[in-house]
Structure formats: C-alpha cells, structure tokens
Amino acid sequence: MPASTAKPKAKAASKLEFSVDARLELDGVMELLAFDLTAGAKGKPHATDFMHPDIEYVRAARKYFAPYKNHPAIKHRALPSVRAFDLGQRGQGLMRLSPLPEFKPHSQISIAFLAHYLGGDTELELFLQNMRDFAHDSKFMEFFNAKSGLLDADLAKLKSEIEATDYIGKIEAYTGLPFEGRYAFVLSPFILSDTGANIVQRGDDGLADIISVLGPVEPTSGPITTTYHRLHARIWHEAAHGVLDNVTELYGEDIAKKQ
C-alpha cells in the first residue's frame, strides 16, 4: 500500500485488557453438560483440554443449566465425533465470531479450518447453530450476566500476575520500538491454561489485536491458577507481534527481494 494511502495507526487506550468472554463460556457450559452426560460411561471420549474445576461458578452453571441437559444441542455434542473436538482449536474459531446472539463469522481470518475437526462445512454450521439455539433456549446470557462476576477474583489475580512482569514495557525497551496494539487476556475456567487460543489480527484502526485464552493449570476447588512455566515465552511471542509485524510491513519490499 502506498504511504500516502496507508491508514494511520491509532494510539491504544490500553495496552492490556482482561475479561471473561461469553462465547467461550457458552462453549464451556455446553461442554460441561455433554461431559456429564458421557462421563458415567467408561471409555467415552471427551474433548481434550476440557477443565471443570469445583468452584462456585461451575457449580452455579450445573445448577442453572440442569433443566437443559437433554437439549438437542447437548445430545448432539455428546456424540463421539464432537466429544473429541479439541477445545484449544475450537477457541481459535469461536473468538473470531461476532457476539451472541448472532454468533456469525465477522473476522478477516476465516474459521473454515474448524470444519476439519468436525467432518466438513455442514457439520461446522450445525455445531454453531446448535450453540445459537442452546444460548437462546436456555437464556444463556442471563446466566452469564448474573454469574460471570463469580470469576472477578480469579480475573484480578490473573491481571496482577501478568501486569507485574511488564511484558510490554520490557519489549519496548529491548526493541526501542513502540508496541502498537492491544493484548487481551481472556480467562475461562473450562480450558486447560497452556492450550487456550492465541489469535493475532489487525484491527480497523491499524493496531494489532492480540488475544490469549488462559484457564486453570490443574483441577482446583479454590482460586484458579493460570500461570505455568511456559507462559512467559508464550506472552513474549504473542506480544512481539505488536512490534515486529509493523517492522516487517515497513521493510516488506526489502524482505521480498531477499526471499
């Protein structure tokens, strides 16, 4: 793109963001119900990397959604072909969908790769439509709005641990370049911490939008621990996109000549 037509990069209001996301929590609740349907049968497959810590939030989900355990969407999710759908890969796609209730692809990055895990495009659309139907029939957003605050203490703990390392400040000092982006950390109690999604894409304002999904390191009945020994390398790698991707674009022609 010629320099004269390039969109100027906006200044990020906040470089780090921390949240719990309804899209992932809908998926986690449905996985919880499907897991409970199949867990009693020895040898039944279940999604890898799924966590269900014995915390107040998860107990509240089990109680609230108990009347919907036989919902058609849950019965479909209990099928072996769907039970083996890896949560880490699933999150890569779900975080690229628009918010509920539409829950439609809206990102410039395709979610078509998810079809591979389910057997095709038709199966992927059925999977997503089941999520929309379940969210509507169970009034999922009412639960989320009422109970997601139960994770506030865990979210604050994650925030303090990440901010204490000052990843962005250190990478700016090391490179001598500004971090031009937003780095969002999303907490979900249903996903094993080191297998959560990592997403990098460019926002309409020209800033890099980086997302990492973190969850429990191990089963727990107390505060959720999300930090593990490889987390530092993971954050350094993802945060670097907010600096080095811009340098790559700046010197794109030179790089292309040297391929």
Side-chain angles (χ1 to χ4, degrees):
M1 179 181 291
S4 60
T5 60
K7 182 181 294 186
K9 293 181 175 66
K11 185 176 181 180
S14 175
K15 294 177 180 178
L16 298 182
E17 301 169 1
F18 299 85
S19 66
V20 177
D21 192 278
R23 292 164 292 188
L24 291 180
E25 295 314 290
L26 170 62
D27 186 58
V29 163
M30 295 181 69
E31 195 64 37
L32 179 68
L33 296 180
F35 178 85
D36 287 347
L37 274 182
T38 59
K42 186 177 181 180
K44 278 284 187 181
H46 58 83
T48 58
D49 309 326
F50 173 62
M51 303 291 281
H52 50 109
D54 184 22
I55 58 176
E56 186 178 358
Y57 174 81
V58 175
R59 292 194 295 269
R62 276 201 166 100
K63 181 178 180 180
Y64 180 94
F65 294 102
Y68 305 96
K69 64 181 180 181
N70 291 315
H71 189 281
I74 302 303
K75 289 185 176 181
H76 176 264
R77 188 171 282 227
L79 296 175
S81 60
V82 184
R83 303 299 299 122
F85 187 8
D86 182 88
L87 265 74
Q89 291 298 330
R90 193 183 303 172
Q92 296 281 2
L94 297 182
M95 291 298 292
R96 294 177 177 130
L97 298 174
S98 61
L100 294 165
E102 291 81 11
F103 211 51
K104 296 282 189 179
H106 77 300
S107 165
Q108 68 268 38
I109 301 179
S110 172
I111 66 166
F113 70 95
L114 293 181
H116 166 76
Y117 296 92
L118 289 166
D121 294 336
T122 300
E123 289 78 5
L124 173 58
E125 180 51 39
L126 175 60
F127 182 86
L128 296 177
Q129 188 56 51
N130 278 337
M131 293 187 73
R132 297 182 195 106
D133 292 344
F134 181 83
H136 175 270
D137 296 345
S138 68
K139 297 181 174 61
F140 169 79
M141 287 306 299
E142 291 187 11
F143 168 83
F144 181 79
N145 291 332
K147 298 297 184 180
S148 60
L150 293 173
L151 296 172
D152 283 352
D154 296 297
L155 193 62
K157 179 172 176 283
L158 169 64
K159 183 175 185 290
S160 66
E161 291 172 349
I162 298 298
E163 289 183 338
T165 304
D166 189 24
Y167 292 96
I168 304 305
K170 288 177 180 176
I171 202 169
E172 288 180 329
Y174 178 77
T175 62
L177 298 167
F179 177 84
E180 296 183 322
R182 293 169 289 262
Y183 197 154
F185 293 91
V186 181
L187 172 68
S188 176
F190 295 112
I191 300 174
L192 183 66
S193 195
D194 65 347
T195 59
N198 292 304
I199 299 170
V200 181
Q201 56 192 14
R202 186 59 57 87
D204 292 337
D205 55 6
L207 295 171
D209 280 318
I210 306 168
I211 302 171
S212 288
V213 176
L214 301 176
V217 174
E218 57 187 16
T220 181
S221 58
I224 295 175
T225 298
T226 61
T227 55
Y228 56 99
H229 71 282
R230 295 187 304 276
L231 180 61
H232 294 297
R234 176 179 174 183
I235 296 176
W236 289 127
H237 174 94
E238 301 303 331
H241 285 288
V243 174
L244 300 183
D245 287 3
N246 297 330
V247 176
T248 301
E249 290 181 6
L250 182 63
Y251 294 97
E253 290 185 6
D254 291 340
I255 294 172
K257 290 177 183 178
K258 298 175 181 178
Q259 282 183 330

